[in-house]
Amino acid sequence: MQNIILLIKYPFITIAGIVVFIGAIINGTIDINISCNKFDVGLSNVKIDGEAKNVSINKRNINFVTGDLKNVGDVSILEYDLTNKSKLYNANISMKCYKEGNKSDYFSVEDITPQILKAGETKKGYIKVSLLKESLTDSNENFYCTMDVKAEKNNK
């Protein structure tokens, strides 16, 4: 008799546990970490001063040579499109740019990248390089930028 009661009791306990667990997920009490293997942010349409020259892209890295910067205050602008290819996650983006070689104190680098890119969204980003000090050498300089991207839950 005791075995029959156990056979009836355990399936009901299991079903009740599953119902409580599913209810907690639906209500947001439990957050399950989902793999981000479908999360991808891409760079495209990269141009320096309106032209697609002296630029190379490697996944989340950009190498570029500025336009002519001869006089203090001259500006060269890198323009690019950022696309969040994910349908489930927003992207938290930061772009870090460095001057290759020496003379980094001759330039100001301003990052005008959108910080949040919603799922499926495409936005323009810009890197503005300004000349702070005159130089007797090259007026075109090499810069390297790397994009750091983190997935964030899309709270629709």
Side-chain angles (χ1 to χ4, degrees):
M1 183 69 173
Q2 216 173 21
N3 289 341
I4 295 174
I5 293 174
L6 287 176
L7 287 174
I8 295 171
K9 189 174 170 182
Y10 282 120
F12 283 114
I13 291 172
T14 304
I15 291 170
I18 291 170
V19 168
V20 169
F21 182 73
I22 291 172
I25 291 173
I26 291 171
N27 292 328
T29 308
I30 297 176
D31 187 18
I32 296 178
N33 190 4
I34 301 169
S35 171
C36 290
N37 60 357
K38 292 189 177 185
F39 177 72
D40 186 27
V41 174
L43 290 161
S44 61
N45 298 327
V46 180
K47 297 176 183 174
I48 186 77
D49 298 329
E51 297 180 29
K53 64 176 187 175
N54 298 327
V55 177
S56 68
I57 308 169
N58 179 4
K59 290 197 177 197
R60 295 187 176 162
N61 301 312
I62 304 172
N63 288 313
F64 67 98
V65 177
T66 64
D68 287 336
L69 300 174
K70 295 178 183 177
N71 300 314
V72 173
D74 283 355
V75 174
S76 189
I77 297 177
L78 177 76
E79 176 184 338
Y80 50 90
D81 289 340
L82 288 166
T83 303
N84 183 354
K85 298 174 186 174
S86 170
K87 294 180 181 170
L88 302 174
Y89 298 96
N90 294 337
N92 186 337
I93 301 169
S94 67
M95 187 76 81
K96 304 236 185 307
C97 294
Y98 309 95
K99 163 80 178 77
E100 290 185 2
N102 55 8
K103 298 193 300 184
S104 60
D105 60 329
Y106 282 59
F107 302 93
S108 165
V109 180
E110 183 182 356
D111 173 20
I112 310 167
T113 301
Q115 290 184 326
I116 300 293
L117 198 59
K118 294 187 179 188
E121 189 174 46
T122 298
K123 284 187 176 178
K124 288 224 176 273
Y126 304 91
I127 303 294
K128 180 180 171 183
V129 179
S130 303
L131 185 63
L132 299 175
K133 298 179 187 177
E134 286 190 38
S135 173
L136 298 175
T137 59
D138 284 343
S139 59
N140 300 17
E141 296 292 335
N142 295 317
F143 285 84
Y144 173 77
C145 298
T146 184
M147 181 173 58
D148 183 36
V149 180
K150 292 182 178 82
E152 291 185 350
K153 191 174 180 182
N154 187 1
N155 297 322
K156 287 186 178 179

